Amino acid sequence: MNMNTFSFPDWIAECRVEDELFGQAYEDTPAHFRAWLKKNIAQLWVSGNPDSGLEKQIACSWSSGFSLRRSETPVDAVILALDSGSVSPVRVLAALVPALTAGVQSVLALHVGSGEPSPSVLAAFELAGQENVATVDAEGVTSLLEYCRKHEAGTVFLDLRSRPEIIKDNPYVRYWRSPQVSRIALCGGGNRDLRETIAFAHPDLSVVECSLDAVDGRFQAVIMPDGVEQGIVGCHLVLGPGQEGCWMWQDLPDSLFKRVSLLLTDC
């Protein structure tokens, strides 16, 4: 399927989050926290190395007598699934923005279950320009994936739900589950503003103040506001000075959002 021809089903429009909620969430988020979200978006955008076009081709030739042409195009759709436990705006952005930088045109955020996305997550969506957000139940997720299957739409399902449910096998869906994050280490000094920033970015996490020597595999991230020391190994993410309120997923590759085709020919 040409991704320009794909659109989500009409019934999704009936489940969309009201525009007023986005505006209210933006206004209710203090300016200094919005600044952190903007910084995180900008860094994710640049690090994602967005393509200038929607199709990318690379051609190589070898002296052994053959040539290779590699073509990349974005997948048709991305579905970002959240639930009531998905309350970290920066961890949500770290999954959303790579889909946008990859050039995917149909991106839908789904809040699965009762209620609405948290205000801070809605503010993050607003700042990232992602207003295609809907609330559905588990049956709605199943119906949406079946719709993608029937339309043979290449789809990426980004699962950030705190209580994920196994989705039915679908040959057109690539599934990515965000790593479970429960504890982050704070090594070094931390004033009140820093603690408030961390609490805003990760309201669901336990932040443990400890020395670098105490950091081990129990921690998914380490925050070091006084400077990053040499020799940090085994940490998925280290946040140095000025990065305490940001996040990136190191196992979410750009290739997940691309269709790749190879053409082999003789030179």
Side-chain angles (χ1 to χ4, degrees):
M1 170 180 286
N2 184 323
M3 62 94 190
N4 290 322
T5 68
F6 178 79
S7 59
F8 291 107
D10 293 340
W11 59 264
I12 284 293
E14 302 173 4
C15 306
R16 284 193 61 189
V17 172
E18 299 288 340
D19 291 341
E20 291 76 11
L21 288 179
F22 285 100
Q24 190 63 51
Y26 180 90
E27 293 298 330
D28 289 345
T29 302
H32 61 289
F33 289 150
R34 294 201 302 264
W36 272 109
L37 296 178
K38 291 177 183 177
K39 177 177 181 175
N40 202 183
I41 291 169
Q43 293 182 164
L44 288 163
W45 193 269
V46 173
S47 65
N49 192 25
D51 297 328
S52 59
L54 295 181
E55 182 173 353
K56 182 178 180 181
Q57 292 193 358
I58 302 173
C60 300
S61 297
W62 284 269
S63 59
S64 55
F66 78 98
S67 65
L68 168 66
R69 177 175 296 174
R70 175 188 175 98
S71 297
E72 298 179 356
T73 55
V75 297
D76 298 304
V78 168
I79 299 170
L80 176 68
L82 314 171
D83 62 14
S84 59
S86 310
V87 293
S88 167
V90 297
R91 301 205 307 272
V92 170
L93 285 174
L96 168 67
V97 177
L100 302 179
T101 62
V104 181
Q105 298 296 292
S106 296
V107 179
L108 173 65
L110 287 183
H111 180 87
V112 184
S114 59
E116 308 280 356
S118 72
S120 62
V121 170
L122 283 177
F125 283 144
E126 175 81 1
L127 289 167
Q130 176 63 33
E131 296 186 357
N132 195 15
V133 182
T135 58
V136 299
D137 56 18
E139 292 183 0
V141 175
T142 300
S143 297
L144 183 59
L145 291 175
E146 177 61 17
Y147 176 89
C148 293
R149 187 194 66 78
K150 288 179 63 176
H151 287 76
E152 300 183 356
T155 305
V156 173
F157 191 93
L158 303 175
D159 199 345
L160 275 77
R161 292 175 292 180
S162 60
R163 297 178 297 278
E165 298 177 2
I166 297 175
I167 65 173
K168 183 179 179 182
D169 287 340
N170 186 322
Y172 298 100
V173 174
R174 302 175 185 176
Y175 181 82
W176 178 82
R177 164 71 178 146
S178 64
Q180 286 295 111
V181 181
S182 59
R183 294 158 60 93
I184 53 180
L186 174 59
C187 299
N191 57 29
R192 179 179 177 181
D193 289 343
L194 174 61
R195 297 176 193 279
E196 289 180 349
T197 295
I198 297 173
F200 169 76
H202 307 285
D204 55 332
L205 296 189
S206 172
V207 180
V208 180
E209 295 186 48
C210 61
S211 65
L212 183 59
D213 293 339
V215 174
D216 55 27
R218 296 173 299 165
F219 298 99
Q220 289 83 7
V222 181
I223 297 175
M224 303 190 68
D226 292 335
V228 178
E229 298 183 21
Q230 299 296 321
I232 299 178
V233 294
C235 297
H236 296 291
L237 180 65
V238 179
L239 299 169
Q243 298 293 333
E244 299 91 346
C246 297
W247 194 267
M248 289 184 179
W249 294 115
Q250 52 109 330
D251 65 339
L252 184 59
D254 174 72
S255 58
L256 182 69
F257 305 103
K258 297 295 182 68
R259 269 197 203 88
V260 176
S261 63
L262 301 177
L263 171 63
L264 294 174
T265 61
D266 287 340
C267 292

